[in-house]
Amino acid sequence: MSLDQLYQQIILDHSKARHGSGLAAIDAPAGAATGQSHQLNPVCGDEVTLRLAVQDGTVVQVAWDGAGCSISMASASVLSELADGMTVAELHQVIESFREVLRSRGKVQADPELLGDAAAFEGVARYAARVKCAMISWVAAEDALNQAA
């Protein structure tokens, strides 16, 4: 299996088994600061609402609901799995790295050590129309993180 095939499989798996999905059923831990952001891509209709909770400088919970293409839903799933347990500073660094890769039009390679499964979205950078699909949940997470911090 090539790296491209592996990355495609990660995106397909996450679009089907959506980690962190189910915003309505989750309450933040007592004493945690929370932030919530709703983002919409009017071009394609992708929509994500993401809530996260921060306690003692660490992300203790990420949950989201959304509707859209497999790339946007897989990206939200990967993000929620990756972000849980990170410090606020680490998550800001990961979001910025993800943004840099996606906006590079394929010129910046993803660092799998930093991005984990999110490195699978590196190929999306070559398709400008799909970058917003992959970024929507990350923009929501950045906004929610700023609210909670």
Side-chain angles (χ1 to χ4, degrees), residues 1-2 15 17 24 26-27 29 42 51 86 94 133 141-143:
M1 179 180 279
S2 74
S15 72
I26 297 177
D27 292 322
R51 182 185 316 134
M86 284 187 169
V94 168
C133 301
E142 185 173 47
D143 183 31

Side-chain angles (χ1 to χ4, degrees), residues 84-102:
D84 194 31
M86 284 187 169
T87 67
V88 169
E90 288 169 337
L91 183 52
H92 276 299
Q93 179 184 11
V94 168
I95 291 169
E96 189 52 42
S97 177
F98 189 76
R99 178 180 284 121
E100 180 184 13
V101 169
L102 285 182

Side-chain angles (χ1 to χ4, degrees), residues 50 53 57 64 75 87 93 100-101 107 109:
L50 184 138
W64 61 278
S75 187
T87 67
Q93 179 184 11
E100 180 184 13
V101 169
K107 292 181 178 93
Q109 289 188 323

Side-chain angles (χ1 to χ4, degrees), residues 70-86:
S70 61
I71 290 175
S72 66
M73 298 298 97
S75 187
S77 175
V78 167
L79 168 65
S80 68
E81 192 173 69
L82 184 65
D84 194 31
M86 284 187 169

Side-chain angles (χ1 to χ4, degrees), residues 19-68:
H19 301 270
S21 182
L23 191 62
I26 297 177
D27 292 322
T34 61
Q36 180 169 309
S37 180
H38 177 80
Q39 299 291 320
L40 170 68
N41 182 348
V43 175
C44 66
D46 289 346
E47 194 168 358
V48 171
T49 301
L50 184 138
R51 182 185 316 134
L52 58 75
V54 174
Q55 196 163 35
D56 300 323
T58 300
V59 177
V60 293
Q61 184 182 78
V62 180
W64 61 278
D65 273 329

